[in-house]
């Protein structure tokens, strides 16, 4: 699960479940990623136009791999597609060999609170994108429905705890 870290203006991972596969891609809790090249980051940008505007106004987007989208018009187009489909995808954009997909966890007002992410080795995730997308949609819907019971304050506490650990 990842969300927006407003201090750094990056995506931060606040919870995870690891694959049992010996070949896997993992991101430590508290790790941050640029918004323009991570699946949860692009999801945040698609659902938070105010944040997208800030990112799109930056002088230059950092290139992490040859696949990183640094063209702002192309990124803006991707964000519109993500908003319509409700699924964000990145293939080898932040890290070569890693593919990520994310779906939004929304509060009762339809605002993004966080994103549920599936990430793994590109060779394993890419052929299974349709299946992963279906699972992501179900997980995001279940988490969104459970959000009132969980409480947005719990997510805020998790973000604060991650920030304390990084400090």
């Amino acid at each position: 699960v990842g969300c927006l870290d407003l201090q750094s203006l990056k995506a931060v991972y606040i919870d995870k479940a690891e694959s049992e596969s010996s070949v896997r891609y993992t991101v430590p809790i508290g790790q941050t990623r640029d918004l323009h090249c991570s699946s949860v980051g692009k999801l945040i940008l698609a659902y938070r136009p105010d944040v997208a505007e800030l990112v799109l106004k930056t002088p230059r987007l950092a290139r992490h791999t040859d696949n990183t989208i640094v063209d702002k018009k192309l990124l803006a187009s991707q964000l519109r597609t993500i908003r319509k489909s409700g699924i964000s995808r990145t293939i080898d954009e932040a890290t070569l060999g890693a593919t990520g997909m994310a779906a939004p966890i929304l509060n009762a007002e339809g605002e993004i609170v966080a994103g549920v992410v599936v990430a793994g080795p590109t060779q394993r995730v890419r052929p299974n994108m349709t299946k992963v997308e279906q699972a992501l949609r179900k997980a995001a819907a279940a988490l969104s429905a459970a959000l009132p019971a969980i409480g947005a304050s719990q997510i805020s506490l998790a973000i604060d705890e991650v920030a304390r650990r990084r400090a």
Side-chain angles (χ1 to χ4, degrees):
V1 176
C3 60
L4 176 63
D5 178 349
L6 274 171
Q7 275 188 317
S8 67
L9 209 58
K10 292 183 182 248
V12 61
Y13 295 91
I14 60 170
D15 198 8
K16 70 177 180 174
E18 295 246 355
S19 167
E20 293 182 9
S21 175
S22 59
V23 177
R24 62 181 174 240
Y25 174 73
T26 184
V27 178
I29 292 174
Q31 180 79 47
T32 60
R33 292 279 192 266
D34 285 338
L35 295 170
H36 71 283
C37 61
S38 64
S39 59
V40 73
K42 286 185 179 186
L43 191 70
I44 290 164
L45 292 176
Y47 283 81
R48 291 281 310 263
D50 56 327
V51 177
E53 185 178 342
L54 292 172
V55 169
L56 292 170
K57 284 184 177 179
T58 60
R60 187 176 72 77
L61 298 174
R63 180 178 295 280
H64 298 279
T65 73
D66 288 342
N67 295 328
T68 305
I69 304 301
V70 294
D71 179 287
K72 293 176 187 174
K73 287 182 183 178
L74 179 56
L75 178 60
S77 174
Q78 282 187 349
L79 299 180
R80 287 189 295 275
T81 300
I82 292 165
R83 182 65 192 227
K84 287 178 187 171
S85 72
I87 295 287
S88 173
R89 296 183 175 119
T90 57
I91 301 171
D92 300 334
E93 288 188 46
T95 304
L96 279 177
T99 290
M101 298 175 68
I105 301 170
L106 304 172
N107 65 18
E109 290 76 36
E111 299 164 331
I112 190 166
V113 175
V116 61
V117 182
V118 171
T122 296
Q123 64 186 18
R124 189 166 59 234
V125 176
R126 197 167 186 184
N128 295 298
M129 285 183 137
T130 301
K131 195 163 129 180
V132 171
E133 180 178 315
Q134 291 169 350
L136 273 173
R137 286 184 191 283
K138 281 184 178 179
L143 289 167
S144 294
L147 194 57
I150 297 168
S153 63
Q154 290 298 103
I155 292 177
S156 293
L157 288 173
I159 296 167
D160 291 344
E161 178 60 25
V162 167
R164 274 193 295 280
R165 287 183 195 171
R166 281 199 327 246

